[in-house]
Amino acid sequence: MPEVMQALAPEAETQTPKSERFFVRFTRQQRYMHAVLFTTFLGLAGTGLPLRFSDSIWARGMAGAVGGFGAILFFHKFCALALTVAFLIHLKEIATRGIYQREKGIFWGATSMVANWKDAKDLFAHMRWFLGLGPKPQFERYAYWEKFDYWAVFWGMIVIGFSGYAMWFAPFFARFLPGWALNAALVIHSEEGLLAILFIFSIHFVNTHLRPDSFPMDMVIFTGVESEKEFEHKRPQEYARMVREGKLEGRLGEAPATWFVRFARVVGFTAIFIGVTLLILTLTAYFD
Amino acid sequence: MSDLFRSNRHQRIAAITLASFALCLSPHRTLAQSECLACHADKTMQDSAGHSISVDGDKFSASIHGSLQCNNCHADIKEYPHPDHIAKVDCKTCHADEGSKLAASVHSSSKEHPCTSCHGNAHEIFPKTDARSAVYPLNVPKTCGQCHSDGAMATKKGLPSVYPHYMDSIHGNALSKEGLLVAANCQSCHGSHGILSHKDPKSLTFKANIPSTCGTCHAKINDDFQAGSHGHGVAKGDFQAPVCSDCHTAHAILQPTESAFRMQSTPICGSCHKDKLSTYHDTFHSQLGLLGGYVETARCWDCHDAHEIHPSSDPRSPVHPANLVVTCGKCHKGANKSFVQYQPHANAHDRKLNPALYFIRLFMNLLLISVLTFFVVHTVLWLIRSRFDQVKRNSGNGGRHA
């Protein structure tokens, strides 16, 4: 397990020197939002998969474990409502910051989630670096794959949410949707849900948490802060910009409490464990 | 159980033999019961083969034949002492009608005495309305089960074991648990003396005759069935069409509103309507239904009706376009004309039938495949490269952990 030792090494280093500085990357609200997102997502995946693969060997056992289909549908709808509320809060937050407070950089620029020309260039440069054909690109605050994650979830919530509510309140939606749209709703809901599950439980897990630079887990989404060394290594362009603009000190944060890091790690690994289990079940059912 | 039945059978054989011997010992030509019983009341009395030839005089006189004299049946005994070996009693002498029916039935080849196999000890036969009778409605299944259950005679000859199935069925439960005398027992459907193979067109259980056999009790359902497509098919001699037992089974009949039957029902219809079952499987109705614990989900007959089934083009069909709002509305409160355009058997793989659905599915699949393919390649290359980079970086640190 060289990776594990690898991962423990930088952590040991960050803890020894007391002068190590930590910088804020995510606000408390953003961290809560991620917690609500992954909790409800696991809930939705766990209750949606037995339905999607209802003829698989594990579906009935899984449904039975939570109290049969009635319970499954209840949990699925409950998580859906919670996630919808979280999504609406997020939209309100963007609207407030972007339109009401006229915060620069939320819709465009280096700190925006909106894709730009640099992302396209970074993607190609990154791929060239994979193949040893060029230098590693210097990432800004949000790298292209992080923006993809964000927009995939954004689009996914709209698509899955809308098709889900169309099925939940089918007679109501049928007032202004044609009947075949209800057929389409199930196809869209289950295919997009499947894509989300496969993507999050494999690509997102590896890209964000399990790759050597972050292994075994990128704690920044839980603690909100990262060490200066990590900041500089992962997002050199943002770091350089902060230094250049003299804003680096403004983002200084406190080192996370040890108990909180431990707690977050348990929560994070539980989520990854559940996710990987669901991924394996999905793959067995898919290729059955 | 079966051992018990077998020993009963031996006892009966012994009883017949014993009755025969009883008359041999009788001193007078009249051979009144009391005279025979002078010897045969002895409970230890045995023939040369060691079988009991004792008769319980009290039980015999209480039985349906109690007013008869012994030699009314054991007619070859004229005097006492009687010969060692006497003829088998022929019940046909009096019961000619039953005898001839039996001779033509599936039980005609029975090597053992066919009458006593079902009616029990020859000297202890009671009318079928008497609870002591082996053919009293509540006793019939057990009587037939002597041969038609696991490991018993009929099953050894390759016939299915039906007794346990029947006992667990709605008919068996009504009979054994409620003591419901009108509940169907074996002979309600199969008849008694003239039981024929289900392959015989005259049999009550011949495919074409099953609806009317069940209809003896379930008259309204039989009428509905006869009016529907399946009934028309059977009437025309199309034996592909199902009759009662194809869906409900013959012996293990369940209460159709119970979850057990609802859970097993769709594959039954699907065994003929294969394409409909496979498209049903793609829908939310089926996904729900398969999980269990939610038996209300629409199964075939919730929409199509169970007995009087018509094609959807027929205005009498609940799935005729004009009736859909009512039919779907049974579960979906507020179902309207647009809602019922939903296709419960849509086929997303059929471009001609469901073009919109076909292209939506195609788009979603392409999206799924392209996103995953791109990112799997991306991630794998990234993993290799950053691991390579990390090792190189650390080797600069004196090769630590590399």
Side-chain angles (χ1 to χ4, degrees):
Chain A
M1 297 275 284
E3 282 90 350
V4 176
M5 297 171 70
Q6 201 75 62
L8 293 174
E11 187 197 41
E13 281 163 19
T14 55
Q15 277 171 6
T16 359
K18 280 175 188 156
S19 58
E20 181 75 80
R21 297 196 296 176
F22 283 86
F23 293 93
V24 176
R25 173 153 163 82
F26 294 121
T27 65
R28 182 179 292 266
Q29 194 195 4
Q30 286 167 334
R31 285 145 54 200
Y32 281 145
M33 207 57 97
H34 179 258
V36 171
L37 181 64
F38 80 74
T39 316
T40 53
F41 185 77
L42 288 174
L44 287 162
T47 51
L49 283 173
L51 269 175
R52 173 66 172 78
F53 297 107
S54 57
D55 51 354
S56 72
I57 42 169
W58 46 263
R60 222 188 246 200
M62 232 166 117
V66 291
F69 169 72
I72 277 208
L73 196 62
F74 173 80
F75 283 122
H76 199 77
K77 287 174 174 174
F78 178 82
C79 291
L81 280 178
L83 186 54
T84 307
V85 170
F87 184 58
L88 293 176
I89 290 173
H90 179 66
L91 288 185
K92 186 212 148 249
E93 177 73 6
I94 292 172
T96 311
R97 282 172 57 186
I99 299 165
Y100 185 69
Q101 296 173 349
R102 296 183 181 274
E103 181 181 318
K104 279 178 192 169
I106 196 161
F107 294 122
W108 192 251
T111 57
S112 171
M113 268 295 175
V114 179
N116 54 35
W117 183 237
K118 176 177 160 34
D119 292 319
K121 284 193 292 187
D122 279 356
L123 168 64
F124 283 102
H126 210 197
M127 305 265 273
R128 284 174 61 83
W129 175 70
F130 292 165
L131 302 171
L133 301 173
K136 192 176 175 181
Q138 306 279 298
F139 296 112
E140 244 296 346
R141 180 169 177 80
Y142 298 113
Y144 67 89
W145 72 87
E146 290 165 337
K147 291 186 182 181
F148 186 88
D149 273 12
Y150 174 83
W151 288 110
V153 173
F154 199 98
W155 141 273
M157 279 198 285
I158 292 172
V159 170
I160 302 178
F162 189 71
S163 55
Y165 283 115
M167 289 190 287
W168 187 352
F169 303 104
F172 171 75
F173 277 82
R175 289 185 197 174
F176 36 83
L177 286 178
W180 62 263
L182 297 174
N183 288 99
L186 179 64
V187 172
I188 293 169
H189 194 81
S190 68
E191 293 289 305
E192 182 68 26
L194 196 61
L195 172 57
I197 284 166
L198 293 173
F199 188 87
I200 299 292
F201 296 157
S202 59
I203 310 293
H204 173 73
F205 277 6
V206 174
N207 281 359
T208 310
H209 298 295
L210 300 175
R211 74 184 153 99
D213 276 348
S214 305
F215 194 90
M217 181 173 293
D218 193 343
M219 298 306 290
V220 69
I221 196 65
F222 297 103
T223 61
V225 293
E226 61 189 340
S227 70
E228 185 165 10
K229 188 178 175 184
E230 211 178 345
F231 186 12
E232 199 182 350
H233 176 66
K234 283 185 175 171
R235 281 173 294 281
Q237 203 170 83
E238 187 191 13
Y239 184 80
R241 182 168 55 80
M242 289 286 124
V243 172
R244 198 170 59 241
E245 294 173 1
K247 287 181 185 168
L248 191 64
E249 272 65 34
R251 279 180 55 184
L252 261 176
E254 282 181 21
T258 317
W259 71 266
F260 185 76
V261 174
R262 282 199 191 124
F263 167 74
R265 199 163 277 166
V266 169
V267 171
F269 276 120
T270 308
I272 288 191
F273 176 75
I274 297 173
V276 170
T277 308
L278 292 175
L279 177 70
I280 292 167
L281 290 180
T282 307
L283 293 176
T284 57
Y286 207 73
F287 295 108
D288 191 15
Chain B
M1 282 293 269
S2 55
D3 283 343
L4 210 121
F5 290 146
R6 260 200 298 281
S7 68
N8 274 344
R9 216 155 57 232
H10 288 310
Q11 279 166 20
R12 281 196 305 278
I13 299 157
I16 300 157
T17 339
L18 118 101
S20 319
F21 280 105
L23 295 165
C24 306
L25 304 168
S26 192
H28 297 292
R29 293 185 81 83
T30 52
L31 293 161
Q33 284 179 25
S34 57
E35 289 164 349
C36 301
L37 286 170
C39 298
H40 288 279
D42 177 3
K43 282 181 184 155
T44 61
M45 195 172 189
Q46 289 182 332
D47 65 7
S48 55
H51 298 126
S52 169
I53 48 171
S54 141
V55 173
D56 186 327
D58 290 340
K59 276 193 183 159
F60 177 69
S61 58
S63 83
I64 196 168
H65 296 128
S67 61
L68 298 177
Q69 300 302 332
C70 301
N71 68 345
N72 287 141
C73 295
H74 300 284
D76 56 336
I77 295 176
K78 311 283 188 201
E79 56 191 10
Y80 178 81
H82 60 75
D84 279 358
H85 293 285
I86 58 163
K88 235 178 185 178
V89 169
D90 188 0
C91 302
K92 279 203 297 273
T93 315
C94 298
H95 303 284
D97 197 25
E98 287 79 2
S100 61
K101 278 187 185 163
L102 189 67
S105 81
V106 288
H107 291 132
S108 65
S109 61
S110 171
K111 280 181 195 144
E112 293 165 20
H113 201 296
C115 306
T116 53
S117 297
C118 299
H119 290 278
N121 187 329
H123 298 108
E124 293 167 18
I125 293 175
F126 296 97
K128 65 182 177 188
T129 49
D130 188 311
R132 288 171 294 182
S133 166
V135 293
Y136 179 65
L138 303 192
N139 300 334
V140 166
K142 200 176 159 199
T143 300
C144 301
Q146 290 174 94
C147 294
H148 297 276
S149 63
D150 293 318
M153 213 234 352
T155 57
K156 281 181 186 157
K157 295 198 170 174
L159 289 170
S161 164
V162 290
Y163 174 72
H165 294 302
Y166 169 81
M167 291 309 282
D168 289 339
S169 77
I170 186 167
H171 290 144
N173 274 319
L175 187 118
S176 64
K177 295 208 172 111
E178 315 287 332
L180 200 63
L181 293 175
V182 293
N185 61 46
C186 316
Q187 62 104 19
S188 315
C189 303
H190 292 278
S192 48
H193 298 103
I195 297 177
L196 300 173
S197 159
H198 65 91
K199 291 171 195 148
D200 188 323
K202 290 195 295 283
S203 168
L204 287 168
T205 55
F206 180 65
K207 184 153 186 174
N209 301 335
I210 284 178
S212 60
T213 300
C214 301
T216 316
C217 296
H218 303 278
K220 168 77 166 63
I221 287 173
N222 184 27
D223 288 347
D224 290 348
F225 174 81
Q226 302 291 357
S229 298
H230 290 151
H232 284 311
V234 174
K236 272 189 269 173
D238 175 9
F239 290 161
Q240 293 263 313
V243 293
C244 320
S245 55
D246 289 305
C247 301
H248 294 278
T249 75
H251 297 104
I253 299 174
L254 296 172
Q255 162 64 264
T257 53
E258 264 177 19
S259 58
F261 183 75
R262 290 186 65 82
M263 290 299 289
Q264 73 182 40
S265 61
T266 47
I268 298 175
C269 305
S271 64
C272 292
H273 302 279
K274 289 193 174 68
D275 55 328
K276 294 297 174 197
L277 183 67
S278 97
T279 50
Y280 172 77
H281 269 322
D282 291 340
T283 69
F284 196 56
H285 288 143
S286 164
Q287 293 181 341
L288 281 173
L290 280 173
L291 281 186
Y294 198 75
V295 292
E296 296 89 340
T297 321
R299 320 279 161 155
C300 316
W301 75 85
D302 291 312
C303 306
H304 294 274
D305 264 358
H307 301 112
E308 188 178 344
I309 301 172
H310 297 288
S312 58
S313 54
D314 188 316
R316 287 171 297 177
S317 166
V319 293
H320 182 269
N323 303 328
L324 280 174
V325 170
V326 174
T327 304
C328 301
K330 285 194 290 183
C331 297
H332 301 277
K333 300 278 171 260
N336 57 23
K337 281 209 164 154
S338 172
F339 177 80
V340 302
Q341 298 304 307
Y342 170 78
Q343 295 181 14
H345 291 282
N347 187 352
H349 300 266
D350 194 322
R351 190 171 157 181
K352 276 182 189 148
L353 267 179
N354 307 98
L357 209 56
Y358 175 86
F359 285 110
I360 286 170
R361 187 184 153 273
L362 190 68
F363 172 75
M364 296 308 298
N365 276 349
L366 287 177
L367 183 72
L368 191 146
I369 291 165
S370 51
V371 168
L372 286 179
T373 309
F374 176 78
F375 274 101
V376 164
V377 172
H378 179 273
T379 301
V380 168
L381 289 176
W382 192 1
L383 273 181
I384 296 168
R385 184 68 171 95
S386 29
R387 177 74 187 124
F388 178 75
D389 213 37
Q390 198 176 39
V391 170
K392 206 171 68 180
R393 212 166 51 230
N394 284 331
S395 64
N397 279 347
R400 205 163 57 94
H401 304 314

